[in-house]
Amino acid sequence: MLSITFVVITLLTMVLFYLGTGQNRLVLIFSAFWLFVSGGIAYTGYFEDTTATPPRFLPVMLAAAGLSVFFYKKVSQSRLNHNFLVAIHIVRLPVELVLYQLFLLKQVPVLMTFKGWNFDIVMGVSAICILCYMVLAKKTLPGYFMKLWNIAGMILLTTIVAISILSSPLPIQQLAFDQPNVAVLQFPFVFLPAYIVPVVFLSHILSFQLSSVTE
């Protein structure tokens, strides 16, 4: 059930990002292709061999970064939908709940949950409030507020990504040796670092740019 829930969260992220980029077909096509490839490889258990050199998961991280750059260059700022770019961050709320369940299953350390050093849930809740205002008032919040909100979101996301990497069973592991982060090496939770995190971060950047224009 947890796996199905996470697949739904991932697909929701993809749809919201597609709508946020003005229904850019390249975004949808490459997103679906990347999810198929990364998910298929993870399903075989390939990434779970943490003794390989270089780490088998490294290409996923590099590919995810490259995909983000590709999306950034291909989207048209004039077609961006600010409401959907904010709505994407709502998925951070269910992601946090899934991470907590994975912690209970000893698949991730407590450091990666809202009981540890992960305060990303704040962005999910605040995104709901901001989106409700934007929809009901039919206007965006002041540019300076949205810029600060996006900066805060990027800082929180960068923090949890660093914790996640340092908690993973890799040569650079520095945290959570008693209960490392192994969930992201498995299907479908591989979608968190492979797709959801890059898309969420990119959505912050695009929203920040829109806020700068409207300020």
Side-chain angles (χ1 to χ4, degrees):
M1 184 63 183
L2 195 60
S3 295
I4 295 175
T5 299
F6 201 75
V7 169
V8 172
I9 292 172
T10 303
L11 294 178
L12 177 61
T13 303
M14 181 178 68
V15 171
L16 289 174
F17 188 60
Y18 167 66
L19 295 173
T21 56
Q23 301 182 34
N24 187 306
R25 290 186 180 181
L26 280 177
V27 166
L28 186 62
I29 293 171
F30 277 88
S31 292
F33 176 75
W34 174 235
L35 290 176
F36 177 78
V37 171
S38 58
I41 297 175
Y43 189 79
T44 67
Y46 178 79
F47 299 126
E48 296 180 53
D49 181 2
T50 57
T51 62
T53 303
R56 291 185 172 184
F57 200 70
L58 182 60
V60 173
M61 299 171 66
L62 296 176
L67 191 66
S68 298
V69 174
F70 173 77
F71 284 160
Y72 180 78
K73 291 184 176 181
K74 290 300 179 180
V75 299
S76 172
Q77 186 166 330
S78 62
R79 297 186 60 186
L80 295 178
N81 186 305
H82 211 169
N83 285 10
F84 284 114
L85 289 177
V86 172
I88 289 172
H89 301 284
I90 296 177
V91 302
R92 294 161 84 162
L93 180 55
V95 164
E96 287 297 292
L97 299 179
V98 169
L99 284 175
Y100 185 69
Q101 292 301 312
L102 289 173
F103 158 66
L104 297 179
L105 294 173
K106 300 187 183 303
Q107 295 293 298
V108 301
V110 68
L111 297 176
M112 289 179 59
T113 73
F114 52 78
K115 281 198 170 184
W117 296 350
N118 189 349
F119 305 105
D120 211 40
I121 195 169
V122 174
M123 300 308 298
V125 174
S126 61
I128 295 175
C129 298
I130 292 173
L131 184 63
C132 286
Y133 173 84
M134 292 170 69
V135 171
L136 296 176
K138 296 182 179 180
K139 61 180 181 180
T140 59
L141 287 162
Y144 71 86
F145 177 87
M146 291 304 300
K147 288 168 70 174
L148 290 174
W149 182 76
N150 281 301
I151 291 173
M154 286 187 278
I155 291 174
L156 288 177
L157 190 59
T158 301
T159 299
I160 186 56
V161 167
I163 293 173
S164 174
I165 293 174
L166 294 177
S167 299
S168 300
L170 300 171
I172 60 173
Q173 183 178 3
Q174 299 294 321
L175 303 169
F177 290 96
D178 57 330
Q179 187 169 320
N181 171 26
V182 296
V184 297
L185 305 177
Q186 307 164 9
F187 177 87
F189 308 108
V190 66
F191 294 145
L192 181 58
Y195 186 76
I196 295 179
V197 168
V199 163
V200 167
F201 198 90
L202 181 55
S203 297
H204 269 311
I205 294 175
L206 296 175
S207 176
F208 184 92
Q209 291 182 335
L210 284 178
S211 299
S212 298
V213 172
T214 58
E215 190 175 18

